[in-house]
Amino acid sequence: MCEKRTAAVVGEDSTVDDTATVGHSYSNESKPPTIGDESTIRAGTIIYDDVAAGARFSTGHFALVRELTEIGDDVLVGTKTVIDGRTTIGSNVSLQTGVYVPSETTIGDHVFLGPHAVLTNDPYPIRRDVELVGPTLEEHVSIGANATVLPGVTVGRGSFVAAGAVVTEDVPEETLAVGAPARHNPLPEPLRGSNDI
């Protein structure tokens, strides 16, 4: 493994804390990350090479963004949130404190993940050698605090996953998922509509 830091391409009017690492090289062929204009990268954050983040990207403290991650505009990666790489994240996304996003995950536009929400990508941790497949969160999805979404699950557009839910199967569009394992209920009127992030 290569330990050198690379020269990141950081957009205009951006702020990068002196203790952040923007451009952690993970191989001899890796390329510096690109960070859009008006971005804020706070203390202790580590961003690997081969990351592309859009304008107004913002991190909390000690966030980690691994290689081969694509991030749209106006995205918040909260304090101690981990994005394990090889992931696509849309625009207007908010990942709150302590969120875990595994590799091979897709997150659409206008998605909210509450504190300590966990997405997973391995159906048989350590026990079997399988292809890793993270969840897909479609546009305008909200995931409550401490919820868990299992590998390969799709959470449909406009759905709401309640705090603490364990989502084991696909959630249809505009549905409330609640409980462990999560059951599907009609989305209550107060939760209908889009996320304004």
Side-chain angles (χ1 to χ4, degrees):
M1 175 174 269
C2 200
E3 294 296 325
K4 66 183 171 81
R5 292 184 184 186
T6 59
V9 178
V10 179
E12 294 182 17
D13 300 320
S14 293
T15 303
V16 178
D17 187 274
D18 290 343
T19 65
T21 300
V22 182
H24 177 78
S25 179
Y26 63 95
S27 81
N28 290 329
E29 290 80 35
S30 67
K31 293 179 176 45
T34 59
I35 308 296
D37 295 343
E38 302 176 51
S39 294
T40 302
I41 299 172
R42 291 186 172 81
T45 294
I46 300 172
I47 299 175
Y48 275 53
D49 280 356
D50 296 317
V51 168
R56 296 167 302 281
F57 172 69
S58 181
T59 73
H61 300 280
F62 301 100
L64 173 63
V65 182
R66 296 278 310 262
E67 69 276 4
L68 301 171
T69 296
E70 295 180 17
I71 300 172
D73 297 331
D74 300 296
V75 172
L76 168 66
V77 177
T79 295
K80 295 186 178 178
T81 287
V82 174
I83 301 170
D84 251 347
R86 292 170 173 77
T87 291
T88 302
I89 298 172
S91 294
N92 300 297
V93 171
S94 180
L95 308 176
Q96 295 292 298
T97 297
V99 168
Y100 178 68
V101 178
S103 60
E104 310 303 335
T105 295
T106 301
I107 297 175
D109 297 335
H110 304 281
V111 170
F112 175 86
L113 278 83
H116 302 284
V118 174
L119 309 180
T120 64
N121 67 354
D122 189 347
Y124 309 105
I126 299 179
R127 298 297 173 103
R128 293 174 62 190
D129 188 17
V130 297
E131 183 177 345
L132 301 178
V133 180
T136 297
L137 307 182
E138 295 182 348
E139 294 183 357
H140 297 283
V141 163
S142 290
I143 307 289
N146 294 308
T148 301
V149 181
L150 295 188
V153 168
T154 296
V155 180
R157 187 182 199 285
S159 289
F160 193 102
V161 174
V166 178
V167 182
T168 60
E169 58 186 32
D170 291 352
V171 178
E173 290 186 7
E174 298 184 3
T175 297
L176 173 65
V178 60
R183 61 189 181 283
H184 299 160
N185 296 327
L187 195 61
E189 189 60 38
L191 297 180
R192 293 188 181 274
S194 55
N195 290 342
D196 185 18
I197 299 175

